[in-house]
Amino acid sequence: MSRGPLCFETSRLKIRPLAEGDRDVCCQLFTDSETMKFLGGPLANRVADSRFNSMLRANARQPVRNLYLSVDSKAAGMPLGLCSAVRIDRRVGRAEPGLMLVASHRSKGVGREALRGLISGVLQEFSLKELQVHYHAQNMAAERMLTRSGFSFDAKPDDSGEAMGLPLKLAVLTSECWLRG
């Protein structure tokens, strides 16, 4: 059983529950066209603010089904983005991790470090059997990071994004595979 929102550190990062002080960086991510390119496009400011409020409320709910965390630089003490574990289903043993970083910290290993920490923390905290990531078929950066983090890929396209007109792919990581390393 979860003892509350997950919090952990990696060599360069502190991952902690999202807080009111993270509103600006989250809304910046949600309204940025490059960040949201593969997520349905940028949100309007009002919608981004509402999404952030929903994330804070989700973190307060028990049992935890959706968890939103800030990715902070330990050295600079500033937020670099956010990560999440959504659709946490303890009965089935599955969740979906996610990650968004501000542009200045992409392609520097920060995303992989945050994702690997998130994977380890979420699998352990919620006793999950697998993690699934649905991602846009053209998002090669996501595919590279998932590959480097040990995910395997479903050969057939994922049809779960058809309603939004998004061609999605599915990546899966089992806890057994993660532990084998």
Side-chain angles (χ1 to χ4, degrees):
M1 178 144 199
S2 175
R3 295 172 304 280
L6 191 61
C7 188
F8 60 90
E9 292 187 5
T10 67
S11 62
R12 298 181 289 173
L13 306 171
K14 179 178 181 181
I15 313 295
R16 59 167 176 78
L18 208 58
E20 182 61 43
D22 301 312
R23 183 178 300 274
D24 288 346
V25 73
C26 286
C27 289
Q28 173 191 344
L29 289 166
F30 296 149
T31 59
D32 179 67
S33 59
E34 183 62 26
T35 302
M36 298 296 289
K37 177 168 58 174
F38 297 116
L39 299 169
L43 303 179
N45 289 334
R46 179 184 52 76
V47 176
D49 195 59
S50 177
R51 168 96 35 103
F52 179 78
N53 289 333
S54 295
M55 293 162 65
L56 288 179
R57 285 192 302 275
N59 276 0
R61 290 190 188 109
Q62 289 294 328
V64 175
R65 299 231 347 115
N66 296 299
L67 180 62
Y68 300 97
L69 305 162
S70 179
V71 177
D72 296 347
S73 164
K74 283 170 43 175
M78 60 183 264
L80 306 178
L82 67 101
C83 61
S84 62
V86 298
R87 293 185 268 296
I88 300 168
D89 187 334
R90 293 179 182 160
R91 185 181 48 79
V92 175
R94 180 183 308 138
E96 183 166 349
L99 175 69
M100 301 171 99
L101 294 175
V102 295
S104 61
H105 284 81
R106 295 180 196 146
S107 300
K108 296 180 179 181
V110 172
R112 182 170 176 231
E113 185 175 330
L115 181 60
R116 292 182 65 80
L118 178 66
I119 290 167
S120 184
V122 167
L123 287 175
Q124 182 177 354
E125 179 78 10
F126 299 105
S127 302
L128 301 176
K129 295 176 189 165
E130 78 175 18
L131 299 175
Q132 293 185 346
V133 176
H134 299 85
Y135 67 101
H136 195 287
Q138 295 173 352
N139 189 343
M140 294 297 101
E143 189 164 301
R144 279 189 304 276
M145 184 169 38
L146 293 167
T147 299
R148 291 175 182 151
S149 296
F151 282 79
S152 59
F153 299 87
D154 197 333
K156 61 182 176 24
D158 179 357
D159 62 2
S160 65
E162 286 181 7
M164 297 184 295
L166 300 174
L168 297 182
K169 290 172 94 175
L170 175 64
V172 177
L173 176 68
T174 65
S175 58
E176 195 175 284
C177 183
W178 178 255
L179 292 173
R180 279 196 310 254

